[in-house]
Amino acid sequence: MARTQGLGRIRIGLFLLVWLSGAWFGSWEFNPNNATRLFAAIRMVEDGTATIDPFAPLTIDKAQFGNHAYLDKAPGMTLMALPAVAITDLVTGDRAGRHIPSSVDPGFVAYLKLRTRVAAATGSALLTAIAAVLLFDLALTLTGGAGAALFAALGYALGTPIWGYSTTLLGHAAVAALFVIALAGVARGGGRGMAAAGLALGWAVVVEYQAVLAGSVIGLWAVWKYRATPRALLPLIVAGVAGLLPLAAYNLFAFGTLFRIGYSGVVGFEGMNQGLFGLTVPRLAVLREILVGPTRGLFWVAPVLLVAPVGLWRLGEERATRGIALAAAGVAVVALLVNAAYVYWDGGNATGPRHAMPLAGVAALGLAPVWAMARAGWQRVGLAMLLIGSVAINLTIAAAEIFAPPGYRWAWWQAVIQLRFRFGDLRTIPSEWWGWTSWNGLYLWAAVAIPLALWLVQSCARFSPRTRCQT
């Protein structure tokens, strides 16, 4: 009983640390990827239409059908933002129609900024926090060590640009979280576990259409895992279809037909006409840039993931955990190949390879066995330093700039540190809403987050390893 209560407190602490860290910092509300999603949500809530005509001049990301402009993305993040817009409108009594839609109108900027922050806190940041807890539980099941599980959860949520993308309305952090939820659901099994997995996989496609490719790996693992009892797949299938229904509802609402998506009307990005909406074939040179290139390389902004393949390999060596290891590795590989096959692979303004970031959660599962295998004290000290370094890098990214411009060769150092962070050009709740300096806003986060993180480490260290479970 005491152990269960202790784990419950750890889960709550982990959730609060990750959610607070994502909600505390903010991203630029006029970034086209942020703005177009929120514009569509605002119009749906306040005007009962999916067109974004009044806001179209403010974003380069839009679709054109006839005389009207629309969201050019998958609608999932916009649909998730609807409650945030509606509740914020209700509480503040404010609406977009009371302002001039312009980036130089202070009233409209404040209006848009508040709704962007609330939508990110109740969307991407919330999903990342939930997924971090589920990854902790899954890693604990696989390794039997609470410390190993915490290493994996923090590596995923705070040691990669998932932290920064959790401050945005982009779908990358959400899809990464949904893949973790799906993986954990299939591993747990049973009606509720499989239903959660199906719902997560279906919703991931509504958030990002290309998620169907990497998500299918988890679906195939489920089919293989429960091949002897195919009825166990029924909750997965039913919930998966249910997760897709909002996409159909949106298409009918926006376009009057099921068979149209925003990508088919994209304005200004001719590359989307190549292949399947910009997806062609993976290119080795692009893959190299995604992994180790100085501008977008994953391992420059998430060095902790360097050791994750070792852990997944270790899981794959044992028959009991081979399936989940192959599924996690398969999701990561497919996500990388999809990014390498995309015409606009660099993501425009982005810190790290944003189109590959859905791999972060499932790949981080491999961190837990690495920690569990480290027996010597110096090995764990080295791993802890690797995690601390990754968290420090991503703190600067989340606080200063998740949308690094493409013109900088060493994007993190030049566009994040040199251009913004060292000057205190940060976005925090206290600096944007309470009149504090940005540095004081950062210090307040640290005053809460660091003791909470240390408490989590101490609490996990008190748990002796338990018997590993099969999955």
Side-chain angles (χ1 to χ4, degrees):
M1 179 64 72
R3 183 185 182 96
T4 301
Q5 291 176 343
L7 284 174
R9 289 192 290 269
I10 289 173
R11 293 183 184 105
I12 293 171
L14 177 60
F15 175 89
L16 291 176
L17 174 62
V18 173
W19 180 79
L20 175 68
S21 298
W24 193 260
F25 302 103
S27 59
W28 186 39
E29 58 276 2
F30 282 99
N31 172 270
N33 270 283
N34 266 339
T36 192
R37 289 175 166 91
L38 192 61
F39 290 157
I42 290 168
R43 289 281 283 167
M44 291 173 72
V45 169
E46 297 183 359
D47 301 297
T49 178
T51 66
I52 61 168
D53 297 337
F55 308 121
L58 299 177
T59 177
I60 59 172
D61 284 347
K62 54 197 167 189
Q64 190 78 29
F65 297 104
N67 296 322
H68 296 291
Y70 294 84
L71 170 73
D72 65 338
K73 313 294 183 186
M77 297 306 295
T78 288
L79 297 177
M80 288 173 62
L82 294 179
V85 173
I87 293 171
T88 306
D89 281 4
L90 182 64
V91 171
T92 63
D94 201 4
R95 296 173 64 88
R98 297 179 180 177
H99 307 282
I100 299 172
S102 167
S103 60
V104 296
D105 178 72
F108 183 71
V109 171
Y111 165 92
L112 197 66
K113 181 183 295 185
L114 178 59
R115 282 150 186 79
T116 301
R117 301 301 187 271
V118 175
T122 57
S124 298
L126 181 61
L127 278 174
T128 298
I130 292 170
V133 174
L134 290 177
L135 184 63
F136 173 88
D137 283 349
L138 183 57
L140 180 62
T141 299
L142 293 174
T143 66
L150 184 65
F151 182 65
L154 293 181
Y156 150 62
L158 301 182
T160 74
I162 287 297
W163 184 357
Y165 286 112
S166 295
T167 71
T168 76
L169 303 188
L170 280 66
H172 312 312
V175 172
L178 291 165
F179 283 166
V180 171
I181 294 169
L183 197 73
V186 174
R188 177 175 296 180
R192 284 190 293 183
M194 295 295 278
L199 191 62
L201 290 175
W203 187 249
V205 177
V206 183
V207 173
E208 288 187 351
Y209 296 130
Q210 65 271 29
V212 69
L213 299 173
S216 295
V217 175
I218 300 175
L220 290 173
W221 175 50
V223 171
W224 175 257
K225 181 177 173 66
Y226 298 100
R227 63 192 181 279
T229 55
R231 290 184 61 181
L233 297 171
L234 186 60
L236 177 84
I237 296 169
V238 172
V241 172
L244 288 168
L245 289 179
L247 175 59
Y250 172 82
N251 284 348
L252 287 172
F253 175 76
F255 308 121
T257 175
L258 296 173
F259 306 107
R260 176 181 289 176
I261 62 174
Y263 280 136
S264 63
V266 169
V267 175
F269 292 90
E270 289 74 16
M272 296 297 289
N273 296 321
Q274 299 183 33
L276 180 63
F277 298 116
L279 284 180
T280 56
V281 295
R283 289 159 288 170
L284 185 59
V286 171
L287 184 60
R288 183 173 60 250
E289 288 297 315
I290 292 168
L291 290 173
V292 297
T295 305
R296 292 288 180 265
L298 176 64
F299 294 129
W300 293 107
V301 290
V304 72
L305 290 184
L306 278 167
V307 300
V310 176
L312 291 178
W313 183 274
R314 178 70 182 88
L315 288 176
E317 287 181 327
E318 296 191 21
R319 184 180 181 87
T321 55
R322 187 170 300 152
I324 196 169
L326 290 174
V331 171
V333 168
V334 171
L336 287 170
L337 293 178
V338 168
N339 193 170
Y342 189 38
V343 171
Y344 300 109
W345 66 270
D346 66 342
N349 284 24
T351 306
R354 67 181 180 90
H355 293 297
M357 289 318 301
L359 66 79
V362 294
L365 181 63
L367 297 178
V370 172
W371 182 271
M373 288 187 296
R375 301 300 182 187
W378 66 268
Q379 292 175 329
R380 291 196 170 177
V381 169
L383 290 173
M385 294 304 296
L386 182 62
L387 175 60
I388 291 170
S390 293
V391 171
I393 289 170
N394 285 284
L395 170 61
T396 66
I397 293 170
E401 186 60 277
I402 190 62
F403 299 124
Y408 296 90
R409 176 167 173 77
W410 295 95
W412 172 68
W413 180 251
Q414 294 174 313
V416 177
I417 300 297
Q418 294 293 324
L419 190 63
R420 294 194 180 278
F421 189 83
R422 73 188 184 104
F423 295 113
D425 188 2
L426 317 176
R427 296 182 177 93
T428 71
I429 289 176
S431 60
E432 293 194 322
W433 307 112
W434 304 347
W436 293 27
T437 67
S438 59
W439 287 121
N440 284 336
L442 179 63
Y443 298 151
L444 180 57
W445 169 84
V448 176
I450 293 176
L452 181 54
L454 292 175
W455 175 83
L456 285 169
V457 171
Q458 184 180 39
S459 298
C460 288
R462 286 200 297 264
F463 281 87
S464 60
R466 68 183 188 186
T467 303
R468 296 166 54 182
C469 299
Q470 296 185 4
T471 184

